[in-house]
Amino acid sequence: MTLAESAPLQEPGFEGRPARVRAELAEEVAVALAGSLNLRRTVLRLLDAVRPELGDWAAVALLDSRTGALSLFGGDDPGFTAMVSRRAVSGLDLERVLRTGQTEILHVAPETASADGLVGLVPHQALCEQAAALRPVDVLGLGLTARGMTLGALVVLRGQGRGYDEDEIVEAERLANRAALALDSARLYEERSRVASALQASLLPPELPDISGIQVAARYRPAIEQLDIGGDFYDIHGVGDDWLLTLGDVCGKGVDAAVLTGRARQSIRTAAHFERRPSELLSALNTVFYEDASDRFITVVCARLRPAPDGESAEVELAVGGHAAPILLRADGRVRQLEAGGTVVGVLPEAEYQSATVRLERGDTLLMFTDGVEEARGEDGFYGLDRLLSLLPTYAGAGADALCGAVEQDVVEHLAGRPHDDIALLAVTCGGAVAWQT
Amino acid sequence: MELSVVIHRPGAQTVVEVHGDIDIATAPVLTRELKALLDQGGHQHLIIDLGVVQFLDSTGLGVLIGAQKQAASQGGSVVLVCTNPRLLKILRITRLHRVFTIHPAVADALAQVTG
């Protein structure tokens, strides 16, 4: 059957439906798809928008640019999806559409209107059977092409022996082009999101390891909470009885800062393979970041923790680069900020750092924190170091996790919903929690 | 919070008087002003007056450090004027009081730089 022979007819029983594809339909479809950046939702809206004017039945095939596989959507069941391999459509009309972006028309002779005749554009048995049941005379395969790339095909057909004329095919192609732009945007957005999540996952704070005889805890509240990453960081790595803890802050917030924290963490990890002394590690980090020649810098605490085999004590050697020194909370409630200091990392061509040492006994906790704690601005001003120091004795002996939780809660209450800088806490308690009563 | 700067040239030095908090929101303004001065040439000896600044966060420190690096590359320097105990504490913790010379008043900074 040729195109001319399949000129559409207004059949009895279809009076209520538009007989032809209006020129406005392409615009209406574009508007319907404009709001969505979710690829699947965009496809479903497209299927919805083209029926019944462009077809009584519609399906979309989308190419996965990485695997070459085809995702099929549509048909009678709105939730239907299926995957078929590129090889499965090899040599079929649909493959030609995907390769060339050109429209393919499958004419179906009425006497052979079985599922077999439609498989060229509908390469899935269940879909094919639905389509065949409508007894179509024409099946249109429209390329969905955007930015010079065919990302899929829209397949439509009409029931009851009604086909498409040439003017309608021109309108259908126009519609497909508009739809392809929306699908392309949604796909691009999904890909970007996927890339962003993968990068973000690599920048998230690490899981805390189990260290024999030591309880470790941390908290992390980025300034931009939806982002989960920010300018504060902590890390803890090592084996057996030799661990390195770092906590720091790079200037800035958000993604740019997070990228730098990732580099800082990784630089320290790498350097730690060759050098375990915190003061030397910070010198190396300083040199690396100074050579960066940006106005970025890092404040950081680096502590080497060596638990005794009996779990009753641990030696801590630490160095501080322009950061608030850690707080030592003894099991009996005595609390003090350690005396340690050094230049911020990445500002001077060469910087030397002093080591300080402290011995943790059972129940003692060492708390590292970033300036987001002190600088949390509440109704009555900054949270401040004094408030932190006066909070802690209550939690003497409670263990690192309870202590971090208490500090976080107190700071959050102080903020009372106000915006804040990144906040990070990292605490270690020797011997874990000891008998502690509220 | 707004940030604005007033620039004086009492002599060979350039005094940049900063008004407002220097934080993530306002830092780009200060960066732009300082960079414009340093790019112009002839302003490599900068006195940054933080006398009325109440808040300076790590982004703000980054701005000062960026200016210092650029000034140093032109054979100049950045001198700070600051008396706010909070700011002085931050500069002390970060040890930036050893990177920048810090004076309590603009007059002292001018005397030192010219002297």
Side-chain angles (χ1 to χ4, degrees), chain A residues 249-253 289-290 292-297 299 320-324 340-344 346-348 371 374-375 377 382 385 421, chain B residues 1 21 23-25 31 54-69 72 86 89-90 92-96 98-100:
Chain A
D249 178 2
V250 309
C251 65
K253 291 186 186 68
F289 277 86
Y290 179 78
D292 218 34
S294 75
D295 55 0
R296 299 275 182 167
F297 65 90
T299 76
V320 172
H323 196 93
T343 313
V344 288
V347 172
L348 296 177
D371 60 2
E374 283 182 83
E375 289 178 3
R377 265 205 259 202
F382 294 101
L385 185 65
D421 198 352
Chain B
M1 191 69 75
D21 289 356
D23 59 20
I24 183 111
T31 304
Q54 296 297 313
F55 184 76
L56 174 72
D57 74 357
S58 62
T59 317
L61 288 176
V63 176
L64 300 180
I65 288 165
Q68 158 69 25
K69 280 191 182 177
R86 269 199 72 74
K89 184 186 166 195
I90 290 167
R92 198 176 63 245
I93 289 174
T94 54
R95 297 291 161 109
L96 289 173
R98 293 183 187 168
V99 176
F100 301 106

Side-chain angles (χ1 to χ4, degrees), chain A residues 272-408:
Chain A
H273 269 278
F274 306 100
E275 174 63 66
R276 306 292 297 175
R277 288 170 299 173
S279 55
E280 299 302 309
L281 278 171
L282 292 192
S283 284
L285 190 68
N286 177 70
T287 306
V288 169
F289 277 86
Y290 179 78
E291 285 166 359
D292 218 34
S294 75
D295 55 0
R296 299 275 182 167
F297 65 90
I298 306 166
T299 76
V300 62
V301 182
C302 183
R304 183 182 190 183
L305 177 79
R306 281 179 288 182
D310 62 5
E312 290 299 314
S313 67
E315 295 293 335
V316 179
E317 178 187 349
L318 59 89
V320 172
H323 196 93
I327 292 174
L328 175 63
L329 173 66
R330 295 292 187 189
D332 62 9
R334 282 175 297 150
V335 63
R336 71 183 168 96
Q337 186 171 30
L338 298 177
E339 284 176 18
T343 313
V344 288
V345 167
V347 172
L348 296 177
E350 279 177 34
E352 288 192 1
Y353 296 89
Q354 304 295 316
S355 284
T357 56
V358 60
R359 185 183 162 88
L360 302 182
E361 305 288 348
R362 191 171 186 80
D364 293 349
T365 299
L366 187 71
L367 172 69
M368 304 175 180
F369 57 99
T370 57
D371 60 2
V373 174
E374 283 182 83
E375 289 178 3
R377 265 205 259 202
E379 198 176 68
D380 50 349
F382 294 101
Y383 184 82
L385 185 65
D386 292 343
R387 184 159 166 174
L388 181 61
L389 288 170
S390 63
L391 172 78
L392 294 178
T394 322
Y395 296 90
D401 194 57
L403 184 131
C404 283
V407 173
E408 182 187 30

